Amino acid sequence: MFGDLMGMMGKLKETQEKVAATKERLNGVYVDEQSSDGLLKVTISANNEIKSIDLDNTLLEDKEQLEDYLILTLNKAISRAMKVNETELAAVAKEGMPNVPGMDLFK
């Protein structure tokens, strides 16, 4: 019994290390998004860190329009980045979960 428990604890520790490594790796995974007309482009990491914003000079003429573009485009980019992040972390977590009877969490 204790051997199984020690094995599970070792597996959980290994999984924690893999999750940490995956989070670190996701700092270098980028998501690009742009407004529908291409006037605003943003790049963020899969960990939701904004890496770049590129905007057309015409957007500088209308503050309210620029704000709307930023909100819409950043929200789309963040949503896509979160999906990448969740998918990657779920895969690592599922792989590392010990097989405990009655705990079929990832079916």
Side-chain angles (χ1 to χ4, degrees):
M1 177 178 164
F2 288 111
D4 290 342
L5 183 59
M6 293 304 289
M8 282 194 301
M9 294 301 289
K11 184 89 167 158
L12 287 173
K13 180 168 177 41
E14 181 181 319
T15 300
Q16 287 176 328
E17 291 168 357
K18 285 182 180 180
V19 166
T22 299
K23 286 181 180 181
E24 183 68 29
R25 183 179 58 78
L26 289 174
N27 283 326
V29 174
Y30 300 115
V31 173
D32 296 316
E33 188 61 64
Q34 66 179 8
S35 60
S36 58
D37 57 9
L39 295 178
L40 176 67
K41 298 173 185 172
V42 298
T43 301
I44 67 172
S45 75
N47 285 329
N48 292 330
E49 184 176 319
I50 297 170
K51 294 298 182 179
S52 70
I53 298 176
D54 180 34
L55 54 103
D56 189 276
N57 286 338
T58 60
L59 290 175
L60 296 175
E61 298 168 7
D62 186 344
K63 179 183 181 292
E64 199 169 295
Q65 180 186 19
L66 175 57
E67 290 170 346
D68 289 343
Y69 270 67
L70 283 168
I71 290 168
L72 291 171
T73 307
L74 284 169
N75 280 336
K76 285 194 304 185
I78 290 167
S79 177
R80 286 184 51 214
M82 286 176 59
K83 286 178 186 170
V84 170
N85 187 297
E86 290 169 1
T87 300
E88 292 289 324
L89 291 177
V92 171
K94 181 179 179 181
E95 175 187 310
M97 288 299 292
N99 187 14
V100 178
M103 295 288 290
D104 297 328
L105 300 175
F106 295 104
K107 278 195 170 185

